[in-house]
Amino acid sequence: MIEIFKTFVTVALGLGAFLAVMVGLYWLASQLPEPWRDRARVMVFVGPALVLLVGGLILPSLYTGRLSLFTGPNANKWYGFGNFRELFTDSDNLIVLRNTVWWVILVTLASTVIGITIARLADRMRGEPYAKALIFLPTAISMVGAGVIWNFVYATKGNDPDKQYGLLTWLWLKAEPILPGKQDPHYWLQDREFFGFHSSFLPGLNTLFMIVVIVWIQAGFATVVISAAMKGVPDDLVEAAKIDGATDRQSFFRIVLPYVKGTIITVATTTLIAVLKVFDIVQTMGKGGQFATSTLANDMYQRSFPLSQPGYGAALAVILFVAVVPIVYVNAKNQRNIREGR
Amino acid sequence: MASTISTPVDATVGAKGGAQGGVQGGVLAGVNGPNKPPDLTPRGSKIAKNLSSKKGSIIVWLIAALWTVPTFGLLVSSFRPETQIKTSGWWFFFSDPSVTLDNYRGVLDNKVGGQPFTEFFLNSIKITVPGAVIPIFLAAFAAYAFSWMKFWGRDWIFVGVVALMVVPLQMTLIPLLRFFNSDFFPDKANGIPAIWLAHSIFAMPLAIFLLKNFIGSLPSEVIEAARVDGASHMVIFMRIVLPLSVPALASIGIFQFLWVWNDLLVAKVFGGGAKNQPMTFAMVDMVGSKGNEWQLLTAGAFVTMIVPLIVFLSLQRFFVRGLLAGSVKG
Amino acid sequence: MSTLELINLQKRYQNGYEAVPGLDLEVRDGEFLVLVGPSGCGKSTVLRMVAGLEDISGGDMLIDGVRVNDMGPQQRDIAMVFQSYALYPNMTVGENIGFAMKLRKTDKAVMATKVAEVAALLELDKVLDRKPGQLSGGQRQRVAMGRAIVREPKLFLMDEPLSNLDAKLRVQTRAEISRLQRRLNITTMYVTHDQVEAMTMGDRVAVLRRGYLMQCATPQELYHTPDNLFVGQFIGSPSMNVVRAEVVEGTGGLPALTVGSQTIQLDDAALAQLPGVRGMIGRSVAFGMRPEVLGDEGTSSIDVDVELVEMLGAELLVHATIDAPSVKQTDEGVEIGESNTSMIVASMDARIRVNAASRMSLTLDTSRIHLFDLVTGDAIGKAKVDVG
């Protein structure tokens, strides 16, 4: 308790000191002669942030870009585009790419669609805030925690249906009388095939089950943001459409959805970028990417640290970067269109 | 209807802040029950709506239930005795209820890397509070400059900052780690400042972007009035912009808080040894080393979740407000 | 106790747009000067340049003879009332009013007395502890005024401060602001797009169009002797009827005007007002008649087809057509209507009976008509009038 108190005092003092330093610097800047005064004041405001960005993101990224052209445990042997060649030719690496693509598509699509659906159905429903809070709840849970939680859904232990503590396994075994065929105990997170169908393009069942977990975490965010945007749609717009003869469904698809299009794109982009960085779930549920569950972000960690291949890890980071650029570009354009359309 | 609620800002400036106020009002009405505006829908249309959406609300509650079951299962499990956890599903709790706090006791006594679990809890707080507060304030200063100060290349620099959202944090891990371990960084023995700094760096682009959206959409006349009244940028920022930006600061702060609290990767890479690690680290370690002691994992997972859940439940009405400003057409 | 001088003041934007190409204007000590014009005429830009909120691209701005071009707003000792009032939402009414003094580190006791004084003057004493969000529109407007008054600045700047009030309150506040300004005797520059506000409040009114000063004069002068067609049509409601006419030689060698199929003889009284017409014989001009000049007393008359009669209680508005094209001054220049007929409005005594859809003859006092050049829009042959 005393420790916590000390922490808070330190933080409060730190923050106070920080603001005091900013004010002091600003005062100093104001004492300078004219051509420098304004510039110095601006620097007080943007300087700290820019230092962090340049020192923490730009320079390291350039360094990583260079690193991706080297190989060896210390990344000091010139390798040209060798890392990238491996990345796109080796079959294990292609599985990583394939998984990542499926992660991105499925999570983004599912979260956004669930978000839109709930936002629409729950609008002005009784108890709406509570239902939305329940769906939003997983957003607050760490992926490590989510891993433990979902273990009680996916876990499989022996053959006895009544000894199972994984909810899904139990339901699966108990459902034997209803479902066709014999229900064997199934190790969900080790099944690398797509419903028993082996394909190099389709994701394994285990990947799909992990995707469910991320959708579970992300959908609440999409719901709340889209719902808020939908409530911003002016009532008279929808009423005008109804008077013009539009049904509920038509006014939703023709008026409300286009109106909140910008928000939906923003939500999808945010989700997408978050998914590209998914690491913790694969670490805990996929045991660091075994059973063909690895993703770009996970592989990047595995290669850079436990496997001591920083060059290859850097190459993966570069690929992540390249993948996000067009997405952010589209989103930025969308934002600009919205602003100009005002 | 939602748009009839006024935020303090648009209440004074009338039409100018109206569009944005509408959106914020909408969020208020949605998430924050008590602040609901008077319902002005004509009665007839409301009845029609209720009838047609009966099916809809069943679906919503079904999804809500589905979303809650896994967490609920964990909560129930964490209070069940070890033997029961290992031999039967948590749903059997209701046919054979027996409650114990042993699991929680076990977690608190449990040592990870030679440290008691409580140490990790403290670490989490030490990492998270500054890790959320520092970047938000730095970003607020920058966002103010990008909105209300004139300087050369302002818009281009801002575009550059936003573009940095693209950089995956993985891309910077190795170089940053080398930097933190070099002699330039004064405090290489203690990894916690390194974690703060890393989180601040990674939060910066998004935080600046969101705060610029909010601060930039404050009514320009209020800022100008303050300038005419003789206020300097620092005074305007401290006395007017910061107080008006509380909703945005709170919502972005909460998100950053959750993100830092729940983070594993950054702490694992920058924190050094176990003594600087947050609870997520301890949990992963327990999953690895005590993979069969599920009674500990359930209680442990719940302990890691308590703080974010409290933060989330008590402050959820702030959540989306600041995030939405400027990004929603309205 | 101050003056403001604008000498060839210019505003150019980075995209090359010239909002104000070069403006010369003087606001005298204690004067209430109104800047008026349609939207986009640059009036707000000028005001914001005076406030120091907008950079000056060229020319000079002097306050009390001191060049202030490069001073920030905080150094110019001005106070401004904004269109949206721009109250600080996070501060109470009292804090709003006292903010500027607080920044100047004024003594607390002095500040409290001053805030109380101003609050009493504006009847805000009961709401001093409220936040702006809890006030009515009129109260907010008064807080904005109070914030400006309390400073006792060299200059008052007001940017459409009444446009967010409802009609009734606007009329009331209009009078209040005028009274307050006279009482405090502070040099004031007031921007509005509403010519009624301009006419009722200003000691002098400056009419702007696309950044050019069209005329700056007292309200009476603007109304009775507009310098150009734009001012003539902008000032006055309903606005001046303007149709095309030809100047011809009439009876006794005196000039006459041909309007469509009719001719209006100008007599000596009219020529005394418009001496320049004599040299215009054979040319087309824009012929302006204010609505109240029609159907009142007069020596001449003009025949029209009545289309619609509006009863306003004290007066009668007669909308009628006449067989001559209309003329108006737009941003592109003087524009002559394509149709050979145009609508004119006469404002008449309400006791006169007028039937719609009838032809009637409207009396016309030719000494109160206006003539403008058809190309430049400038007033023709205007004599200096002393307005009674």
Side-chain angles (χ1 to χ4, degrees):
Chain A
M1 267 303 142
I2 287 176
E3 274 283 332
I4 296 180
F5 180 71
K6 258 160 69 186
T7 309
F8 276 110
V9 169
T10 319
V11 171
L13 284 179
L15 187 66
F18 165 70
L19 289 178
V21 166
M22 294 296 271
V23 172
L25 282 177
Y26 188 82
W27 183 83
L28 278 180
S30 301
Q31 305 307 307
L32 288 169
E34 191 35 89
W36 297 102
R37 192 191 300 159
D38 279 350
R39 290 175 213 175
R41 283 171 170 169
V42 169
M43 275 323 285
V44 172
F45 272 77
V46 288
L50 288 187
V51 166
L52 282 189
L53 289 171
V54 172
L57 289 177
I58 297 178
L59 294 180
S61 298
L62 294 176
Y63 182 90
T64 300
R66 203 182 79 98
L67 207 62
S68 69
L69 304 174
F70 290 80
T71 191
N74 291 317
N76 48 14
K77 234 176 81 196
W78 175 255
Y79 200 36
F81 287 102
N83 287 320
F84 295 95
R85 208 178 312 119
E86 281 178 27
L87 211 158
F88 286 107
T89 49
D90 185 85
S91 67
D92 280 352
N93 300 337
L94 283 175
I95 288 177
V96 172
L97 284 180
R98 175 200 75 190
N99 287 345
T100 308
V101 170
W102 281 109
W103 271 91
V104 165
I105 294 175
L106 291 177
V107 176
T108 310
L109 210 67
S111 309
T112 315
V113 168
I114 290 174
I116 295 173
T117 311
I118 297 174
R120 154 120 168 101
L121 294 179
D123 193 27
R124 290 176 207 179
M125 167 189 108
R126 218 193 304 157
E128 176 187 354
Y130 303 100
K132 283 199 298 199
L134 284 181
I135 294 167
F136 197 22
L137 199 69
T139 310
I141 294 172
S142 72
M143 298 211 183
V144 178
V148 176
I149 289 177
W150 281 81
N151 182 66
F152 283 89
V153 177
Y154 293 150
T156 304
K157 188 186 172 205
N159 289 328
D160 185 352
D162 289 324
K163 287 261 162 68
Q164 300 299 332
Y165 58 90
L167 183 59
L168 181 70
T169 316
W170 182 72
L171 288 173
W172 170 256
L173 293 174
K174 283 290 180 190
E176 184 162 359
I178 315 165
L179 294 171
K182 176 107 183 75
Q183 311 302 316
D184 290 327
H186 204 102
Y187 292 87
W188 310 106
L189 294 178
Q190 294 172 21
D191 187 347
R192 59 171 78 198
E193 295 188 341
F194 184 79
F195 296 102
F197 179 70
H198 190 78
S199 156
S200 40
F201 294 106
L202 295 170
L205 198 59
N206 47 9
T207 294
L208 290 181
F209 279 122
M210 286 181 211
I211 285 175
V212 167
V213 178
I214 298 289
V215 171
W216 176 73
I217 290 175
Q218 288 287 339
F221 172 74
T223 305
V224 176
V225 175
I226 293 174
S227 167
M230 280 188 189
K231 284 182 191 301
V233 179
D235 279 348
D236 43 8
L237 211 61
V238 177
E239 283 162 6
K242 287 201 175 144
I243 288 167
D244 282 347
T247 61
D248 264 1
R249 176 184 294 266
Q250 283 169 327
S251 69
F252 177 74
F253 282 103
R254 300 270 174 83
I255 309 288
V256 177
L257 267 196
Y259 199 93
V260 300
K261 192 180 89 189
T263 308
I264 293 176
I265 294 179
T266 307
V267 166
T269 316
T270 321
T271 312
L272 206 153
I273 294 176
V275 173
L276 273 179
K277 296 178 183 171
V278 161
F279 156 79
D280 325 40
I281 277 290
V282 184
Q283 280 284 308
T284 49
M285 295 185 76
K287 305 218 185 306
Q290 293 176 38
F291 309 108
T293 55
S294 192
T295 59
L296 273 181
N298 176 69
D299 207 31
M300 143 94 216
Y301 175 83
Q302 292 291 341
R303 302 286 189 131
S304 303
F305 300 105
L307 299 178
S308 289
Q309 301 172 350
Y312 188 87
L316 286 166
V318 170
I319 293 296
L320 272 180
F321 177 73
V322 172
V324 185
V325 170
I327 299 158
V328 171
Y329 175 75
V330 168
N331 194 45
K333 229 174 123 187
N334 161 47
Q335 295 269 352
R336 198 169 54 230
N337 288 345
I338 288 172
R339 214 152 289 157
E340 281 164 5
R342 251 164 204 262
Chain B
M1 247 159 309
S3 55
T4 54
I5 295 193
S6 318
T7 59
V9 180
D10 78 65
T12 37
V13 297
K16 271 211 169 164
Q20 177 206 329
V23 172
Q24 298 186 351
V27 180
L28 266 176
V31 186
N32 184 13
N35 271 352
K36 262 191 186 160
D39 191 341
L40 302 175
T41 323
R43 195 174 282 160
S45 76
K46 204 174 175 196
I47 291 169
K49 185 138 201 165
N50 280 349
L51 283 177
S52 69
S53 62
K54 196 144 215 173
K55 237 186 285 170
S57 66
I58 293 173
I59 297 174
V60 171
W61 283 113
L62 222 73
I63 298 178
L66 210 61
W67 246 242
T68 320
V69 163
T71 319
F72 181 70
L74 181 80
L75 178 65
V76 171
S77 300
S78 70
F79 289 109
R80 297 180 80 210
E82 181 182 349
T83 47
Q84 289 195 0
I85 289 182
K86 286 181 173 167
T87 53
S88 67
W90 56 265
W91 48 95
F92 287 109
F93 170 80
F94 301 100
S95 55
D96 175 20
S98 51
V99 177
T100 172
L101 285 175
D102 284 350
N103 303 335
Y104 287 92
R105 242 170 259 134
V107 165
L108 296 183
D109 294 341
N110 185 40
K111 280 195 163 54
V112 176
Q115 276 196 124
F117 201 77
T118 47
E119 276 299 308
F120 291 99
F121 184 82
L122 286 178
N123 279 348
S124 274
I125 287 180
K126 277 190 219 163
I127 290 171
T128 308
V129 178
V133 171
I134 296 171
I136 300 299
F137 273 91
L138 283 178
F141 271 99
Y144 175 85
F146 284 123
S147 306
W148 301 110
M149 291 172 105
K150 280 187 193 148
F151 54 93
W152 182 85
R154 181 180 81 169
D155 294 346
W156 285 106
I157 297 176
F158 179 67
V159 168
V161 170
V162 175
L164 286 175
M165 275 198 271
V166 170
V167 178
L169 75 94
Q170 283 88 348
M171 189 129 176
T172 65
L173 288 182
I174 300 169
L176 269 186
L177 189 62
R178 292 196 180 180
F179 170 67
F180 287 148
N181 286 333
S182 70
D183 293 328
F184 292 109
F185 199 61
D187 199 6
K188 55 181 166 175
N190 185 354
I192 285 184
I195 302 179
W196 293 343
L197 202 56
H199 277 303
S200 300
I201 289 168
F202 298 134
M204 206 48 66
L206 186 67
I208 292 179
F209 174 68
L210 294 173
L211 281 171
K212 152 103 203 288
N213 279 347
F214 189 92
I215 291 175
S217 64
L218 292 174
S220 60
E221 293 200 335
V222 170
I223 311 285
E224 287 169 351
R227 285 177 63 199
V228 172
D229 270 350
S232 66
H233 281 300
M234 190 51 93
V235 171
I236 297 175
F237 179 73
M238 297 288 227
R239 291 264 176 84
I240 293 169
V241 170
L242 275 191
L244 292 182
S245 305
V246 167
L249 295 173
S251 64
I252 299 168
I254 295 164
F255 259 108
Q256 175 68 6
F257 182 95
L258 291 182
W259 156 247
V260 176
W261 185 276
N262 290 334
D263 162 76
L264 172 64
L265 181 62
V266 173
K268 211 168 167 177
V269 173
F270 295 108
K275 78 179 174 55
N276 295 324
Q277 291 296 337
M279 272 196 295
T280 42
F281 175 88
M283 276 306 297
V284 170
D285 190 273
M286 276 164 62
V287 172
S289 64
K290 306 200 190 260
N292 294 322
E293 304 202 35
W294 281 103
Q295 76 284 1
L296 291 184
L297 293 183
T298 55
F302 221 83
V303 171
T304 59
M305 278 161 48
I306 284 172
V307 172
L309 284 187
I310 291 172
V311 167
F312 164 75
L313 289 175
S314 54
L315 297 174
Q316 59 153 323
R317 67 203 171 89
F318 281 117
F319 252 119
V320 192
R321 274 213 256 176
L323 297 179
L324 268 183
S327 74
V328 177
K329 189 175 176 171
Chain C
M1 301 294 100
S2 311
T3 60
L4 169 70
E5 277 171 272
L6 311 180
I7 302 161
N8 193 25
L9 189 74
Q10 295 165 21
K11 178 68 191 180
R12 258 183 316 277
Y13 288 103
Q14 273 181 343
N15 57 17
Y17 178 69
E18 282 211 321
V20 181
L23 180 69
D24 292 294
L25 194 63
E26 190 199 349
V27 190
R28 297 169 198 146
D29 189 15
E31 184 179 40
F32 196 120
L33 182 99
V34 179
L35 279 181
V36 69
S39 59
C41 72
K43 54 189 189 297
S44 288
T45 312
V46 172
L47 191 79
R48 290 169 57 81
M49 280 196 279
V50 175
L53 296 170
E54 203 84 61
D55 289 334
I56 295 170
S57 320
D60 289 306
M61 177 182 297
L62 311 177
I63 296 179
D64 281 344
V66 179
R67 190 170 180 276
V68 296
N69 284 38
D70 302 320
M71 288 187 188
Q74 57 272 57
Q75 292 152 304
R76 294 190 187 184
D77 195 14
I78 45 164
M80 183 157 170
V81 179
F82 290 83
Q83 181 172 11
S84 66
Y85 315 141
L87 306 181
Y88 310 124
N90 53 317
M91 301 183 195
T92 64
V93 170
E95 287 167 340
N96 260 285
I97 296 176
F99 187 60
M101 280 190 287
K102 196 166 169 186
L103 291 176
R104 284 177 176 70
K105 310 229 156 54
T106 312
D107 182 65
K108 279 224 173 81
V110 176
M111 202 167 105
T113 2
K114 283 207 150 183
V115 170
E117 253 173 49
V118 168
L121 184 68
L122 295 169
E123 292 166 31
L124 288 168
D125 24 11
K126 296 209 176 60
V127 294
L128 272 181
D129 293 326
R130 297 216 193 136
K131 294 269 175 76
Q134 299 162 293
L135 303 180
S136 70
Q139 285 171 324
R140 281 181 208 167
Q141 208 280 334
R142 291 208 297 274
V143 176
M145 287 295 298
R147 207 167 58 178
I149 291 172
V150 79
R151 301 256 314 271
E152 296 174 9
K154 284 183 181 164
L155 274 183
F156 258 170
L157 306 176
M158 303 194 198
D159 189 1
E160 311 224 3
L162 303 181
S163 62
N164 282 336
L165 299 178
D166 63 49
K168 198 176 162 194
L169 206 54
R170 197 178 309 164
V171 174
Q172 195 184 323
T173 315
R174 201 164 74 192
E176 259 171 50
I177 293 181
S178 289
R179 208 175 323 128
L180 218 53
Q181 195 269 340
R182 283 210 173 117
R183 179 168 155 188
L184 301 169
N185 200 25
I186 291 177
T187 315
T188 302
M189 194 179 217
Y190 184 106
V191 160
T192 180
H193 66 273
D194 178 354
Q195 53 97 13
V196 178
E197 245 170 61
M199 298 292 277
T200 50
M201 299 176 84
D203 292 327
R204 283 193 307 151
V205 177
V207 183
L208 289 186
R209 182 179 139 259
R210 297 194 96 193
Y212 289 99
L213 180 65
M214 303 307 284
Q215 188 170 5
C216 178
T218 63
Q220 287 92 330
E221 275 178 86
L222 279 186
Y223 190 79
H224 293 290
T225 57
D227 272 352
N228 46 54
L229 181 54
F230 179 80
V231 174
Q233 286 187 311
F234 188 78
I235 302 291
S237 172
S239 64
M240 183 189 282
N241 303 299
V242 184
V243 295
R244 193 179 66 185
E246 272 80 42
V247 183
V248 294
E249 195 172 320
T251 46
L254 291 176
L257 293 170
T258 312
V259 180
S261 55
Q262 335 179 19
T263 302
I264 297 163
Q265 181 60 48
L266 300 181
D267 56 13
D268 287 329
L271 291 171
Q273 296 296 328
L274 300 160
V277 182
R278 288 179 191 273
M280 302 282 298
I281 290 175
R283 286 177 56 186
S284 290
V285 294
F287 168 39
M289 308 153 269
R290 292 218 179 265
E292 65 273 20
V293 173
L294 291 166
D296 201 16
E297 289 157 17
T299 51
S300 189
S301 72
I302 187 166
D303 293 342
V304 295
D305 292 310
V306 178
E307 299 242 316
L308 172 74
V309 180
E310 285 177 320
M311 177 65 189
L312 298 183
E315 56 177 345
L316 204 60
L317 289 186
V318 178
H319 297 255
T321 50
I322 184 167
D323 59 345
S326 66
V327 180
K328 62 176 188 242
Q329 187 158 18
T330 64
D331 281 351
E332 275 68 46
V334 179
E335 221 171 70
I336 302 170
E338 279 168 18
S339 152
N340 253 334
T341 59
S342 57
M343 266 293 191
I344 63 172
V345 180
S347 148
M348 297 161 57
D349 193 311
R351 286 165 298 187
I352 300 173
R353 283 193 70 84
V354 179
N355 293 325
S358 68
R359 188 161 177 84
M360 77 178 289
S361 188
L362 292 168
T363 48
L364 175 67
D365 179 357
T366 49
S367 66
R368 287 158 73 192
I369 63 170
H370 304 270
L371 295 180
F372 304 97
D373 191 294
L374 261 186
V375 180
T376 60
D378 290 340
I380 291 171
K382 197 175 77 170
K384 271 284 159 213
V385 217
D386 55 323
V387 179

